Amino acid sequence: MIGGSLAAALKSSGYDGRILACDPNVEEIAVGLEMGVIDDGGRDLAALVAQSGLVVVAVPVLAMRRVFEQLAPVLGERVLTDVGSTKRRVCEAAREAFGRLPANFVPGHPIAGSEKSGVAAANPALYRHHKVILTPEADTTPTAVAVVRGLWQRCGAEVLEMPVDRHDQVLARTSHLPHLLAFSLVDTLARQDERLDIFRYAAGGFRDFTRIAGSDPVMWRDIFTANRDALLDALDDFETGLGRLRAAVEQGDSDAMLGTFDRASHARHYFETLLNQTSYQTMEARQVQYRVSPGGSVKGRIRVPGDKSISHRSIMLGALANGVTEVKGFLEGEDSLATLQAFRDMGVAIEGPHQGRVTIHGVGLHGLKKPAGPIYVGNSGTAMRLFAGLLAGQAFDTELTGDASLTKRPMARVADPLRLMGARIDTAEGGRPPLRIHGGQPLKGIHYDMPMASAQVKSCLLLAGLYAEGETRVREPAPTRDHTERMLNGFGYKVDRDGDLATLQGGGELTSAPIDVPSDISSATFFLVAAAITPGSDLVLEHVGVNPTRIGVINILKAMGADLRLENPREVGGEPVADLHIRYAPLKGIDIPVDQVPLAIDEFPALFVAAANAEGTTRLRGAEELRVKESDRIQAMADGLDILGVETTVYDDGIDVVGKSGDGPSYQGGQVDSLGDHRIAMAFTVAALRADGPIAIDDCANVATSFPGFVALANKVGLELTEVSA
């Protein structure tokens, strides 16, 4: 079935070369010819190899050596690969047959299959959007690797590379162990006297779990035999976990059961999003385009999702606190969920999220456990930098990694001061992720003058200071968001503020506290700008966080002439909150005050759109930080505005935008590239309100990172936005 599906996939892709098959069963060859997936075939391997340039061995693992022995005299310089699921045994068989591992041999394994077998089960779509893992050695010929990579990519697969032993360990846990358990469960029940009733009344869960027990028994016997050591290690880990769960059930330990079930449930949802290519790390980048019709107005009352910065911190501090923390308004976006999952992986029991509610069973400052693998934080620079600080004080080693965009962003700004505190941190070239943090290092408090205003760096050092001996003092050159200081104080851990200096003493404890996450002003900004630039607009944004360190966008819009009022001001959980009421009024270009730049650093993509609809020139300086966000936001916005016909001048630390006011369109439509940056994508979505034609925005999948439900809310208030998946 695996070999037949490969042949069928190649034929389906339009491959015009000849595909030959060798099989001891001539009836299988006949089926392949009748189906049209092969051009010829037979039982004479040497004769078929002589006509070929690439040989794919698709036989059970324990049969590999016999096939390799037949290939050894005739292979020559032809490229050789296989589809075996245990690479160590396959490589050993190749060495035994060839006397060495041939340089033109590229071991491979498609992570796809079916419980069905035989050529008749061939499926041309089997490998589409699935992984294929190659395990070449250091001396494998690069051209051979390229040939095999191209073969699988032609079938629609994503091709990865990893070491042989790592492959076998991973597959033992994710494929071989589940099959072993399914076979065992069905066999156990089938041996019981009441088996007919058990199977007759079994529900869908039993069917789903045991489906893979219908797979080829001979093939799986060979796999379990070939990958015995890695499988036994995986089975040992499973039996240990099963023993813990059995003890919890016996003892009626509901907290232990809840921790296991909730961690497993949300891990399964996480896996599901990976399989569906809708989340954090995808097998293949999901291409999403926004198409926005011009015109319209913006009206109504809406509440945007919870503040991402506060959502991250609520999980982090709740996990490190003593007691149970209840969170309301949690942002269920991908970045925040990645942070939540990371703490589950470090042994914290977390219930939810459900409709923005999360319950965190804190383990205290020193209660985290070593995660099984790297901590993945998606696209979130905030999470990576804050995690670096709190993990620097743990007793165990950890690795922090993220998506392709995040791995390009600088992390030396946190790694360097953490090293001054005594942390041991390794980074990739250029101080970029992944970060490898060596645990067990004694930290000491330092006085650090930040060279650039950054709430993430400040928060990172304060979190490390929780674990440091003595006092940690961080001075910022300009005000930045102070959510970490406010929340630490809310959890009973004193942080002193003296002007531009934040100070805390190490060695204390956090005590659980309720958190009500206000709506994110960064998310609200897109709708504030939408209403500010569109004649006839009248919009209320409810329960928005108006922390003084975050209201730069409000101050800037007001300075440009926006009709914006704060209504029903109040304080929730130490954070100031208000309803934002904005009506359309003509805007004018301004010189943005430098002291407002750190207070609006994430909001500038949308503010550039406001500037394009303001009479005169808007000038921004002192915004170098925008160059190292998810994209170079200054250049990305300038490029997109240029496509729309808006005049801009780019500087190292800012931009001039020449705008146009009035009731008619301010610029033309067009197609722009968001570069995978969610804020760029949403900014140009809003821009369509004042365009003379449609705007298409490419690469918008990451909008879900910070603003789940953006498309629905945009359409609700009056935009005409369609999401198209490629």
Side-chain angles (χ1 to χ4, degrees), residues 433-655:
L435 304 184
R436 294 179 177 85
I437 302 170
H438 301 270
Q441 308 301 311
L443 303 183
K444 291 189 176 181
I446 61 171
H447 179 105
Y448 188 69
D449 291 327
M450 292 195 301
M452 179 184 295
S454 170
Q456 296 175 2
V457 175
K458 176 180 63 176
S459 296
C460 166
L461 300 182
L462 292 176
L463 291 174
L466 301 175
Y467 297 90
E469 178 186 344
E471 200 171 60
T472 297
R473 297 158 59 88
V474 184
R475 188 181 302 278
E476 50 190 355
T480 64
R481 58 189 64 176
D482 62 356
H483 302 307
T484 299
E485 298 99 300
R486 286 174 180 265
M487 196 175 292
L488 281 169
N489 281 315
F491 277 84
Y493 204 113
K494 186 179 181 182
V495 181
D496 292 319
R497 287 294 312 221
D498 182 10
D500 58 4
L501 186 68
T503 304
L504 63 72
Q505 182 77 30
E509 292 186 343
L510 285 80
T511 303
S512 60
I515 298 174
D516 188 353
V517 180
S519 294
D520 191 348
I521 195 168
S522 293
S523 297
T525 292
F526 301 102
F527 293 100
L528 290 175
V529 170
I533 67 174
T534 309
S537 293
D538 187 345
L539 181 70
V540 176
L541 293 147
E542 300 174 341
H543 195 73
V544 179
V546 288
N547 185 300
T549 64
R550 297 287 299 280
I551 59 172
V553 62
I554 293 175
N555 298 333
I556 292 168
L557 283 174
K558 283 186 172 182
M560 296 176 74
D563 180 2
L564 172 57
R565 299 195 304 272
L566 275 65
E567 299 175 345
N568 190 23
R570 56 209 183 271
E571 190 168 287
V572 177
E575 288 283 347
V577 173
D579 300 332
L580 305 184
H581 189 177
I582 184 165
R583 296 185 178 96
Y584 169 74
L587 302 180
K588 62 181 184 296
I590 63 169
D591 291 350
I592 295 174
V594 174
D595 64 353
Q596 295 299 307
V597 172
L599 310 185
I601 197 67
D602 285 333
E603 289 73 60
F604 279 113
L607 284 170
F608 294 162
V609 172
N613 290 277
E615 191 67 39
T617 300
T618 298
R619 299 177 180 86
L620 170 68
R621 300 292 185 272
E624 303 94 332
E625 177 78 1
L626 287 174
R627 296 282 193 178
V628 292
K629 289 289 187 177
E630 284 85 334
S631 66
D632 179 343
R633 285 180 173 162
I634 291 176
Q635 192 61 55
M637 287 300 299
D639 291 344
L641 290 170
D642 180 65
I643 290 170
L644 302 185
V646 178
E647 181 184 343
T648 64
T649 304
V650 171
Y651 299 90
D652 288 344
D653 65 340
I655 188 173

Side-chain angles (χ1 to χ4, degrees), residues 384-399:
M384 178 164 283
R385 293 183 178 116
L386 269 59
F387 265 121
L390 71 87
L391 292 174
Q394 303 304 320
F396 48 81
D397 295 350
T398 45
E399 179 178 331

Side-chain angles (χ1 to χ4, degrees), residues 349-366:
I350 302 175
E351 301 174 52
H354 178 67
Q355 296 181 346
R357 293 182 176 270
V358 180
T359 302
I360 309 160
H361 298 259
V363 296
L365 276 174
H366 301 282

